[in-house]
Amino acid sequence: MANKIQPVKGTREFYPEQMALRNYIYEKVRAASRMFGYQEWDAPFIESIDLYAAKSGEELVKKQSFTFTDRSGDFVTLRPELTPSLARMIAAKQGELTYPVRWWSFGPFWRYEQPQKGRTREFFQWNIDMLGVASPEADAELIAVGATFLRSVGITPDLALIYVNNRRLMDSEFDALEISVEKRMDVSNLVDRRTKMEPAKWDAYAIELGLNESQLAGLKDILGNFDLWKKSDELVRLFAALEALGVKEYVKFDPNIMRGLLYYTGTVFEAFDTSGSLKRAILGGGRYDNLLADVGGQPLSGVGFAMGDVVAGIFLQEKGLLPEFIPSPAPVFVTIFDENLMRESFSLAAELRGAGLNVLCYPEPAKLQKQFKFADKMKASIALTIGPDEAANAQVAVKNLVNGEQVTVKRDALVEFIKEFLKNA
């Protein structure tokens, strides 16, 4: 036997079940985005590597990107993220846009990473941003969009929460501890590793990084103070806005949220599974300033977040929150009684489609029992048959595939009958 060609490592194959999950996430993302008035957009899937070199850092460009030289000799990459494309496109029409800009996108991305649970080399990602306004209330709106998505897919606050921190608040606390700016990346990584290390080893690691005993004790006090947000006017306003927006129960202040803190300039937030079984964030984002500086535009503040479909899909599956998979989008099934009546069945199917119904028609004559078995596997709700008697009397035999009941309906009354049936099914 010839060797089967395997898919490229880290890519994903979307059989109908997986495609249904991807589409379900997209539909919920789209609904949440549109509910708040955001416009859908997208950017090229292939970009010049130069777009990322200035903004995204050496690791992304040299280690995580799928890069290649095209036929004209240009060095390009499959896009690993969307923010640089967003910056370029906003800068290109900066003086023409109406602010605040509210944009969202859901599309494919590629990163050359080590595949593991919740991480693949090919993924789809929801990106949503508000640009041109710098206020805690704008931050609250983006968090509310994320919470609205969680609510729409059945994720309640006891299953997942959005944890919030603030760059300016933490900087002021680090200033008070006299932790130098140069050490703050190390401190951020230190905090990220706290839950993964034994307390004594974590303390030793902190000292190794250059913190003294007093600074370490002060850092622990900060990380344990869940009322610290009350010292920040931004966060006080943020939580007031979240309450007004009806999503405050989804949001909690956590000084331990450090990931991305040095990239963002104000509020940062990440959604996590509260049980802790899924270690990766469901979504994450925050406020950033000077978005356009690296692509030649004027400084522009923004706030946004991203959510990958891989982690979100795993979470929904593990929590049993996905709707039942329906193999076919057509609830109406038309059988082929025999070869002589095949065209009559095709004509019936076309007539019903013209009336706005989704109709699955068997493509060849076969035993009716075999056709009904196929319809059952496709989860059709109703089966239609035109036999010799029905054809002679302008009628159709209609079978309820749920309870097996069968009736005969006049051809000219069939559309209304089916629509009423499906409405009550």
Side-chain angles (χ1 to χ4, degrees):
M1 271 180 79
N3 290 331
K4 293 182 180 179
I5 298 175
Q6 298 299 316
V8 175
K9 184 178 180 180
T11 59
R12 301 156 71 197
E13 296 176 314
F14 292 94
Y15 287 86
E17 292 89 343
Q18 289 78 43
M19 195 67 200
L21 169 57
R22 193 178 101 188
N23 283 337
Y24 176 72
I25 292 174
Y26 171 75
E27 288 161 8
K28 294 299 185 179
V29 158
R30 183 174 186 265
S33 303
R34 288 170 62 88
M35 191 179 295
F36 284 77
Y38 285 68
Q39 296 174 296
E40 188 171 9
W41 73 288
D42 210 341
F45 295 174
I46 299 176
E47 291 276 21
S48 166
I49 194 66
D50 293 339
L51 181 66
Y52 304 93
K55 179 121 187 103
S56 302
E58 190 172 308
E59 183 180 0
L60 180 66
V61 172
K62 292 189 175 180
K63 296 181 180 179
Q64 295 184 346
S65 296
F66 281 88
T67 57
F68 57 96
T69 303
D70 68 15
R71 293 183 187 276
S72 66
D74 293 330
F75 196 34
V76 297
T77 181
L78 296 174
R79 63 182 189 184
E81 62 178 6
L82 197 61
T83 303
S85 299
L86 172 67
R88 185 195 64 223
M89 288 175 62
I90 292 288
K93 295 194 174 184
Q94 191 167 1
E96 304 170 38
L97 300 170
T98 301
Y99 297 95
V101 166
R102 287 179 167 95
W103 284 6
W104 74 277
S105 179
F106 184 87
F109 297 85
W110 296 264
R111 288 199 180 196
Y112 196 81
E113 298 189 281
Q114 186 60 41
Q116 55 187 275
K117 182 178 179 180
R119 177 181 288 173
T120 60
R121 291 179 175 176
E122 178 183 59
F123 56 96
F124 282 74
Q125 186 167 280
W126 177 24
N127 293 272
I128 183 164
D129 296 85
M130 185 196 298
L131 307 165
V133 62
S135 72
E137 289 73 24
D139 300 345
E141 178 172 295
L142 266 296
I143 293 172
V145 174
T148 296
F149 168 81
L150 297 179
R151 184 183 283 155
S152 74
V153 295
I155 299 176
T156 53
D158 61 308
L159 295 176
L161 286 172
I162 300 172
Y163 297 95
V164 171
N165 200 356
N166 185 277
R167 166 75 178 273
R168 281 182 276 269
L169 172 63
M170 298 308 290
D171 276 345
S172 68
E173 295 298 310
F174 291 161
D175 288 343
L177 292 178
E178 298 182 345
I179 296 175
S180 67
V181 173
E182 293 75 25
K183 279 196 177 76
R184 291 182 189 181
M185 175 67 81
D186 289 337
V187 172
S188 177
N189 292 331
L190 173 70
V191 175
D192 268 342
R193 298 179 65 173
R194 194 179 188 195
T195 58
K196 303 165 190 170
M197 298 177 70
E198 294 175 12
K201 290 183 178 179
W202 188 79
D203 289 358
Y205 181 49
I207 300 299
E208 187 182 312
L209 290 175
L211 297 185
N212 58 43
E213 294 289 351
S214 175
Q215 289 171 327
L216 176 57
L219 178 61
K220 288 181 179 179
D221 287 341
I222 291 170
L223 299 180
N225 185 358
F226 290 88
D227 289 325
L228 189 64
W229 65 273
K230 295 175 182 177
K231 295 173 65 174
S232 165
D233 290 340
E234 285 183 64
L235 290 179
V236 169
R237 286 172 59 183
L238 176 83
F239 278 101
L242 290 169
E243 186 167 16
L245 288 165
V247 297
K248 190 177 178 182
E249 73 274 16
Y250 276 94
V251 189
K252 180 180 179 181
F253 171 73
D254 189 343
N256 296 274
I257 295 297
M258 290 279 182
R259 193 179 301 273
L261 201 64
L262 296 182
Y263 169 76
Y264 293 110
T265 57
T267 296
V268 294
F269 53 91
E270 290 186 297
F272 281 99
D273 171 7
T274 52
S275 73
S277 64
L278 194 59
K279 300 300 182 185
R280 298 183 61 81
I282 300 169
L283 61 85
R287 171 154 297 285
Y288 46 84
D289 292 321
N290 303 324
L291 171 69
L292 310 186
D294 295 326
V295 290
Q298 295 300 311
L300 187 68
S301 183
V303 57
F305 69 81
M307 182 192 79
D309 73 312
V310 179
V311 172
I314 291 172
F315 186 84
L316 292 172
Q317 287 176 315
E318 289 186 351
K319 302 301 181 185
L321 295 174
L322 292 176
E324 178 189 4
F325 171 65
I326 305 297
S328 170
V332 181
F333 178 74
V334 175
T335 67
I336 306 295
F337 186 84
D338 59 27
E339 192 169 345
N340 294 328
L341 290 167
M342 185 159 56
R343 289 188 180 179
E344 189 72 25
S345 292
F346 286 170
S347 175
L348 174 63
E351 181 183 320
L352 296 176
R353 292 183 190 116
L357 295 166
N358 292 346
V359 180
L360 184 63
C361 188
Y362 209 74
E364 62 182 358
K367 290 182 179 180
L368 286 179
Q369 194 59 37
K370 179 182 178 181
Q371 295 185 54
F372 286 136
K373 189 174 181 179
F374 173 80
D376 186 57
K377 287 186 176 180
M378 291 296 105
K379 297 288 185 182
S381 301
I382 192 170
L384 313 178
T385 302
I386 299 179
D389 292 341
E390 288 82 15
N393 295 293
Q395 295 175 328
V396 178
V398 179
K399 184 176 183 179
N400 183 329
L401 293 174
V402 177
N403 60 23
E405 293 179 358
Q406 184 167 308
V407 295
T408 301
V409 179
K410 281 286 187 182
R411 179 84 172 252
D412 58 9
L414 185 62
V415 170
E416 288 306 313
F417 179 89
I418 293 173
K419 287 184 175 179
E420 188 64 25
F421 174 88
L422 294 177
K423 188 169 70 174
N424 297 318

